[in-house]
Amino acid sequence: AQSVTQLDSHVSVSEGTPVLLRCNYSSSYSPSLFWYVQHPNKGLQLLLKYTSAATLVKGINGFEAEFKKSETSFHLTKPSAHMSDAAEYFCVVSWVGSQGNLIFGKGTKLSVKP
Amino acid sequence: NAGVMQNPRHLVRRRGQEARLRCSPMKGHSHVYWYRQLPEEGLKFMVYLQKENIIDESGMPKERFSAEFPKEGPSILRIQQVVRGDSAAYFCASSTIAGESDTQYFGPGTRLTVL
């Protein structure tokens, strides 16, 4: 079965410090992995995706994620947090044969302190 | 190029009424997906449609829920005889092709409140 676990429901950082949002996945098949961001009362915006090409994926707004098959992880990082990064972040997996059916993690709420 | 559009953004219904949620995919996209987000949870897949066809409805509740994507017009998610447990945010996404690596673009969601 396919699943996604986001290890922290809430992460708080100070502005200008690094961000690490953790995600582990379980998939019997080669996965595609995504990170989406959701600002309050807004839709979801794609930050980045991994689809079996380079394992280090760069996304928008300075975010990046590294696919580590041996650790079944796809953690999201950013070197320096900005106040506008405060939002909820979802790690998402799909797989060959899923027909686009996405499996979402429960989300990590990121707070950024001034 | 307009993104995925959903309306209404907020919908209030009393128990027993019907709710109709609309989704217009991005231009050029022929694949539509519906997801439901309950409070404090991630999104859960409900149904995947192409024009005039339901491809995968494995996430749809067996009763009261239906979806369509007609040849012309938006995709509709219909909930009959709503109950309080239907209160949630419903998101629609669209993509150009179907596949595990294709990006789904999400609309702003419809927040349904059942009184």
Side-chain angles (χ1 to χ4, degrees):
Chain A
Q2 281 60 239
S3 67
V4 175
T5 303
Q6 290 185 245
L7 297 155
D8 306 294
S9 59
H10 192 192
V11 169
S12 182
V13 301
S14 297
E15 191 175 20
T17 64
V19 175
L20 169 64
L21 304 183
R22 298 183 293 166
C23 172
N24 286 94
Y25 69 92
S26 171
S27 178
S28 306
Y29 310 97
S30 295
S32 292
L33 292 154
F34 308 77
W35 276 98
Y36 281 86
V37 60
Q38 184 180 29
H39 290 275
N41 297 315
K42 296 280 181 67
L44 285 86
Q45 181 182 20
L46 179 70
L47 280 178
L48 49 81
K49 69 178 184 181
Y50 165 78
T51 56
S52 75
T55 56
L56 182 62
V57 182
K58 293 190 184 298
I60 61 170
N61 301 336
F63 284 94
E64 62 182 39
E66 186 172 7
F67 173 71
K68 291 187 176 180
K69 187 175 180 180
S70 60
E71 297 176 11
T72 60
S73 69
F74 190 58
H75 300 334
L76 182 70
T77 60
K78 182 173 180 177
S80 175
H82 192 271
M83 295 297 290
S84 61
D85 294 328
E88 187 140 26
Y89 292 79
F90 293 98
C91 183
V92 182
V93 65
S94 68
W95 62 97
V96 175
S98 68
Q99 297 194 103
N101 177 349
L102 299 179
I103 302 254
F104 279 73
K106 290 195 171 183
T108 298
K109 192 166 289 186
L110 176 65
S111 301
V112 182
K113 296 175 289 188
Chain B
N1 185 12
V4 178
M5 298 175 70
Q6 290 186 249
N7 67 80
R9 294 290 305 276
H10 299 274
L11 182 61
V12 179
R13 285 286 178 266
R14 296 191 181 280
R15 280 179 295 170
Q17 291 184 317
E18 179 180 284
R20 280 191 179 225
L21 289 62
R22 294 175 188 76
C23 168
S24 296
M26 284 180 71
K27 190 175 181 180
H29 288 193
S30 58
H31 301 262
V32 166
Y33 310 80
W34 285 93
Y35 294 83
R36 177 165 64 175
Q37 183 180 31
L38 295 170
E40 307 299 320
E41 297 212 0
L43 280 70
K44 295 278 196 295
F45 169 78
M46 299 180 76
V47 62
Y48 159 41
L49 308 106
Q50 294 179 28
K51 287 282 187 183
E52 300 184 280
N53 284 305
I54 297 174
I55 306 302
D56 180 357
E57 56 181 348
S58 58
M60 285 278 269
K62 294 287 184 280
E63 297 176 349
R64 302 188 297 108
F65 284 72
S66 62
E68 63 176 7
F69 189 16
K71 190 175 179 182
E72 302 290 337
S75 175
I76 307 283
L77 179 68
R78 183 179 175 209
I79 311 172
Q80 295 178 291
Q81 300 175 330
V82 295
V83 300
R84 288 233 173 95
D86 296 333
S87 295
Y90 292 83
F91 288 94
C92 165
S94 71
S95 66
T96 53
I97 59 174
E100 70 281 2
S101 61
D102 196 41
T103 298
Q104 293 183 22
Y105 294 88
F106 283 80
T110 294
R111 280 155 181 82
L112 172 66
T113 301
V114 179
L115 301 177

